[in-house]
Amino acid sequence: MFHPAGPAWLAQAHRAARTLTATTRHARGAGHSVYAVLLHDGRRSEPWGLYIGQTSRDPDLRFDQHKAGYKASGAAKRFGVRLLPDLVEHLNPMRAWEALELEAALAEVLREAGVPWVEGGH
């Protein structure tokens, strides 16, 4: 199911994510994070994708909440495989206002980088 090297676009997604910075990273009051979930839907022509979200909780807990159906994205609940913390570790933690902005910006740069299926980011 999952090739050890990952989807062909994953390296490009990492490069695109690294173009973003968080000005409030580790600042006082920085308790929010953006997170990326690897998606897989074998019915799609390109089965791999990403869900981008932001949270004031630990991203691992938030992923578990998606999978359990609590305030869940349909895509993350149904197709979420695992978190990709290395995609966003250079951004976290940050203040709430910046997490909202970077959630949207990250989804956009990933689409522009050629990730064929990006959910969330709003």
Side-chain angles (χ1 to χ4, degrees):
M1 178 171 136
F2 181 66
H3 187 276
W9 45 258
L10 194 54
Q12 183 60 26
H14 278 274
R15 284 190 293 276
R18 290 279 175 185
T19 66
L20 300 175
T21 58
T23 60
T24 62
R25 183 174 188 229
H26 295 298
R28 183 179 306 153
H32 283 68
S33 298
V34 291
Y35 61 95
V37 175
L38 182 64
L39 304 174
H40 184 269
D41 179 359
R43 301 169 303 167
R44 297 175 68 102
S45 60
E46 170 49 63
W48 296 102
L50 294 171
Y51 172 82
I52 305 301
Q54 66 86 27
T55 185
S56 62
R57 301 181 181 278
D58 178 89
D60 289 313
L61 172 62
R62 186 66 189 107
F63 177 70
D64 292 344
Q65 289 176 330
H66 278 294
K67 295 306 284 181
Y70 177 74
K71 294 186 178 179
S73 151
K77 180 180 180 186
R78 291 182 63 207
F79 307 116
V81 175
R82 65 182 176 93
L83 287 174
L84 295 175
D86 53 330
L87 198 67
V88 294
E89 65 191 355
H90 67 287
L91 300 170
N92 297 324
M94 67 194 87
R95 290 189 177 153
W97 66 265
E98 191 165 30
L100 288 169
E101 288 182 4
L102 283 177
E103 177 191 18
L106 181 58
E108 184 60 30
V109 299
L110 292 169
R111 288 182 190 102
E112 290 172 359
V115 177
W117 174 27
V118 179
E119 298 279 342
H122 39 67

